[in-house]
């Protein structure tokens, strides 16, 4: 190949398709090499061989993009390819690419190499790509890779996307290290849309930053080589992380639509496709400006591999945990801070499958019926060994929302869990406290016990005639008032102190005084809580 001639700006030695591509570039037109037969134009059809009549060399594509001819008068130069096979490795590493680039339904024989390249906008739609190597790629506009198939992974480490990154419905197989998408340190100025994608290796987004929202609706992420399905610690999303379901419609509805189009309902061919993660998910230390949405999400974890859906120390105003219950593995919320927790009773795993030490939330919004008994099971599932903190946090949230009775039930459950950790003597005393006054959280029971003891002791004392210490000053013996005077601390009814009790009766009097102090204090504490709530 020689240098371009000055007359037509076209190098010698170009093939017919390359000459057509060159001319289309100068006027910003599309070089369309399709045959018009769907099966033969399918870039993913392995049996269909695209011959020389549909092939251009990667080095000619690179020459156009890096040192291409000027546009014709009144036109804008752009590389637009449709149904084209690119032979050889397309290497634009470190290059400054000014023209608009769009490749639709193309095949690449070898990997696309774009490290540290700079584009305005790059669109590769429904292309077959062996591998995309684009570490530290910069785009002023969009990077679109929808409906592509990438055999050996995509690398976007430290890439910076000026507006949107879109990879909807793309299928990606892993590289030799088991990663399908490696985008650690990625920065996307606006939306990152990865809806309905399928990956067969780890999606790594460590330290990534998204300026608006990150959507993985309806996607299927599969870990490989003992790697996670999604590994995204220290990720920052300014708005919402969507790990929820997408609407999928029949062929009469555009396949890229993930929300119901105008006038279309699920009954007209739509179905809900849940996001699935086959392998561990790690979102530790993430910051999400609006919410983390896990509606209808499915997490298929391997308990033998100790896989986790980890949300350690995340910070978000809202967590929507209303997906399917993980059958194995663990959900970890240790140290997470959430303002509003929206959850479904059937979404949380059972005992041993949940950890939430230091989990802070301020509001609870149950999605559907979530009775207090199930909420206590939720806390118990997170504390295989007794820990007071989850109970106290739940009680605080319930009390702040005006559910004081439920808050007392939670604290009572905490005391009962604590009792199981005590020695035998402590357990016995705990059972007495529980039976008598429910550890002080049911003051009505204390009042009932006082009434029962008053009646029983009044009857007992009615069978006894004590000796007056000072016969001239002693009032008339009244067993009922005497028993009440013993039970009521502080209040003096003028009965105690005038009679001499001997033997068993002296012990009974002393016991009533002690029990009266305990029960009366419990009743007073309950009354004060009622007054404060009022």
């Amino acid at each position: 190949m020689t240098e371009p001639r000055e007359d037509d700006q076209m190098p010698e030695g170009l093939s017919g398709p390359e000459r057509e591509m060159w001319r289309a570039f100068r006027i910003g037109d599309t070089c369309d090499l399709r045959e018009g037969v769907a099966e033969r134009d399918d870039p993913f059809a392995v049996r269909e061989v695209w011959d020389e009549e549909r092939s251009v060399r990667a080095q000619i594509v690179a020459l156009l993009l890096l040192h291409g001819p000027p546009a014709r008068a009144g036109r804008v130069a752009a590389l637009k390819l449709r149904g084209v096979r690119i032979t050889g490795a397309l290497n634009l590493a470190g290059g400054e690419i000014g023209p608009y680039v769009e490749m639709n339904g193309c095949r690449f024989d070898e990997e696309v190499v774009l490290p540290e390249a700079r584009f305005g906008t790059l669109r590769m739609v429904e292309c077959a790509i062996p591998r995309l190597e684009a570490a530290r790629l910069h785009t002023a506009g969009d990077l679109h890779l929808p409906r592509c198939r990438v055999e050996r992974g995509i690398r976007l480490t430290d890439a910076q996307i000026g507006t949107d990154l879109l990879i909807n419905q793309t299928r990606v197989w892993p590289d030799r290290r088991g990663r399908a998408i490696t985008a650690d340190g990625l920065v996307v100025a606006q939306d990152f849309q990865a809806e309905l994608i399928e990956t067969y290796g780890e999606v790594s987004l460590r330290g990534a930053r998204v300026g608006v929202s990150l959507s993985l609706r309806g996607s299927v992420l599969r870990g490989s080589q003992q790697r996670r399905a999604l590994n995204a610690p220290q990720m920052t999303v300014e708005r919402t992380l969507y790990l929820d379901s997408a609407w999928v419609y029949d062929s009469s509805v555009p396949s890229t639509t993930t929300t119901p189009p105008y006038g279309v309902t699920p009954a007209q061919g739509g179905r809900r496709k849940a996001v699935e993660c086959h392998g561990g998910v790690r979102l530790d230390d993430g910051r999400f400006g609006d919410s983390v949405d896990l509606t209808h999400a499915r997490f298929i974890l391997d308990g033998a591999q100790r896989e986790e859906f980890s949300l350690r120390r995340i910070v978000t105003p809202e967590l929507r945990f209303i997906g399917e219950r993980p059958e194995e593995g663990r959900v970890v919320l240790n140290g997470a801070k959430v303002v509003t927790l929206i959850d479904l009773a059937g979404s949380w795993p059972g005992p041993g499958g949940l950890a939430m030490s230091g989990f802070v939330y301020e509001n609870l919004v149950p999605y559907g019926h979530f009775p207090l008994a199930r909420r206590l099971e939720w806390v118990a599932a997170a504390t295989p060994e007794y820990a007071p903190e989850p109970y106290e946090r739940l009680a605080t949230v319930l009390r702040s929302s005006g559910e004081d009775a439920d808050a007392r039930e939670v604290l009572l459950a905490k005391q009962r869990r604590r009792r199981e950790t005590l020695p035998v003597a402590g357990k016995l005393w705990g059972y007495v406290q529980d039976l008598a006054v429910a550890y002080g959280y049911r003051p009505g029971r204390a009042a009932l016990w006082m009434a029962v003891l008053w009646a029983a002791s009044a009857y007992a004392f009615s069978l006894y005639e004590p000796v007056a210490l000072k016969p001239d000053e002693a009032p008339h013996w009244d067993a009922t008032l005497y028993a009440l005077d013993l039970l009521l601390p502080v209040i003096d009814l003028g009965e105690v102190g005038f009679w001499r009790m001997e033997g068993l009766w002296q012990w009974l009097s002393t016991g009533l005084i002690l029990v009266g102090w305990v029960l009366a204090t419990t009743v007073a504490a309950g009354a004060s809580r009622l007054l404060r709530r009022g």
Side-chain angles (χ1 to χ4, degrees), residues 348-408:
W348 295 105
L354 178 61
M356 52 184 189
S357 175
F359 177 36
V360 177
Y361 52 96
E362 298 179 14
N363 304 299
L364 279 174
V365 181
Y367 189 83
H369 185 55
F370 205 147
L372 182 62
R374 294 293 302 275
R375 186 66 73 181
L376 290 174
E377 292 175 3
W378 173 64
V379 176
T383 53
E385 297 182 358
Y386 168 71
E389 181 186 8
Y391 289 94
E392 292 169 357
R393 168 55 51 183
L394 177 57
T396 299
V397 171
L398 291 173
R399 189 178 295 113
S400 65
S401 61
E403 303 292 338
D404 196 55
D406 286 349
R408 290 198 302 272

Side-chain angles (χ1 to χ4, degrees), residues 43-81:
F44 312 123
V46 178
R47 296 181 180 178
E48 295 298 333
V49 178
W50 291 5
D51 55 22
E52 298 299 324
E53 297 301 319
R54 300 186 63 175
S55 302
V56 299
R57 288 171 290 174
Q59 58 180 329
I60 303 302
V61 175
L63 178 63
L64 276 176
L65 293 177
L66 297 174
H67 305 287
R72 291 188 180 275
R75 307 302 290 266
V76 177
L79 182 66
K80 299 179 183 179
L81 304 180

